[in-house]
Amino acid sequence: MQPLVQLITAWQQYTEQHADADVAGFCYNYLSAHKKQAPDNSRADLQLAKQLGKTNSILKAYYKLALRQIPNFELDWYYLLEAIAAGGEIRKTEIVSFNLLLEPTTGIDILNRMLKAGLISERIDPADKRARLIKLTNEGGEILKRLKALFEKITSMVLSGINTDDKAIVGLALSQIADKHTAMLNDGRTKAIENMELAIKQIRAE
């Protein structure tokens, strides 16, 4: 296959798998797939994970400080508001699955508190009377807009020391991982967790 045809074919395959495909993401994905496999470096992986965890904890601490401006508002609400806004109007069960770390009952409880606070509204799904559709209220939309602007400034302050090109590379790399594992969990959360538990048991046995 000629190089140009090969590249066009790869681009078509990428756009079929990624609804928000862009050139930067495609280039990173293509080069990563064709890069020679480096030997595993578990220590480096663990160190990266630790630094990501620390950075995320720092950001969350600053976000919670910012949330003092909005009494009785929980940080989890912000992430769920973002997901609901992206979906427009979405089933309650679907938005609960957005946060993969939440148990269904916990997620429903959080959404009910948001409903009581007037941040979201709810109606019966015409296609399935057992399901509920939720969307942002005007108040929820205004709070989300306000917090997004505030959190963007906080995040920029924390990450200002990282070169823009490095941010793009790390962002693309992490998005590949997030997309892969989110898809695995959405396709079969129980099976994905069981497979990970089995892998952990095998590691312990080594």
Side-chain angles (χ1 to χ4, degrees), residues 66-83:
L67 285 178
R68 291 180 180 178
Q69 300 180 32
I70 306 176
N72 302 318
F73 191 97
E74 302 173 27
L75 184 56
D76 283 339
W77 294 10
Y78 168 74
Y79 299 117
L80 291 173
L81 284 177
E82 269 201 318

Side-chain angles (χ1 to χ4, degrees), residues 132-146:
R132 296 291 184 273
L133 294 173
I134 56 175
K135 65 178 181 179
L136 299 190
T137 60
N138 290 335
E139 181 182 355
E142 286 300 315
I143 289 179
L144 176 61
K145 183 179 178 181
R146 176 182 170 190

Side-chain angles (χ1 to χ4, degrees), residues 126-187:
D128 183 352
K129 302 299 182 182
R130 298 169 300 175
R132 296 291 184 273
L133 294 173
I134 56 175
K135 65 178 181 179
L136 299 190
T137 60
N138 290 335
E139 181 182 355
E142 286 300 315
I143 289 179
L144 176 61
K145 183 179 178 181
R146 176 182 170 190
L147 286 178
K148 283 182 74 172
L150 186 57
F151 286 178
E152 282 177 4
K153 290 179 180 178
I154 293 171
T155 306
S156 294
M157 286 192 298
V158 173
L159 303 179
S160 61
I162 303 177
N163 180 276
T164 301
D165 291 339
D166 291 340
K167 290 177 185 177
I169 292 172
V170 173
L172 286 168
L174 293 177
S175 69
Q176 298 284 332
I177 295 172
D179 290 347
K180 173 185 174 182
H181 288 275
T182 298
M184 287 169 56
L185 287 164
N186 284 337
D187 288 344

Side-chain angles (χ1 to χ4, degrees), residues 11-22:
W11 167 255
Q12 290 176 334
Q13 292 174 344
Y14 182 79
T15 55
E16 290 172 359
Q17 298 171 0
H18 301 80
D20 57 347
D22 58 16

Side-chain angles (χ1 to χ4, degrees), residues 26-107:
F26 166 71
C27 290
Y28 178 84
N29 180 273
Y30 185 83
L31 292 174
S32 297
H34 291 79
K35 187 181 294 184
K36 291 183 178 178
Q37 185 67 34
D40 290 336
N41 190 337
S42 299
R43 184 171 296 179
D45 292 341
L46 184 58
Q47 183 62 22
L48 174 60
K50 284 181 177 179
Q51 295 308 320
L52 288 172
K54 285 181 180 179
T55 303
N56 188 49
S57 295
I58 290 168
L59 286 169
K60 282 189 173 181
Y62 290 148
Y63 292 165
K64 287 179 180 179
L65 283 175
L67 285 178
R68 291 180 180 178
Q69 300 180 32
I70 306 176
N72 302 318
F73 191 97
E74 302 173 27
L75 184 56
D76 283 339
W77 294 10
Y78 168 74
Y79 299 117
L80 291 173
L81 284 177
E82 269 201 318
I84 296 169
E89 189 173 40
I90 189 169
R91 282 190 177 181
K92 213 171 186 178
T93 51
E94 290 178 9
I95 204 63
V96 168
S97 66
F98 157 78
N99 193 325
L100 300 171
L101 298 179
L102 290 178
E103 291 298 324
T105 52
T106 303

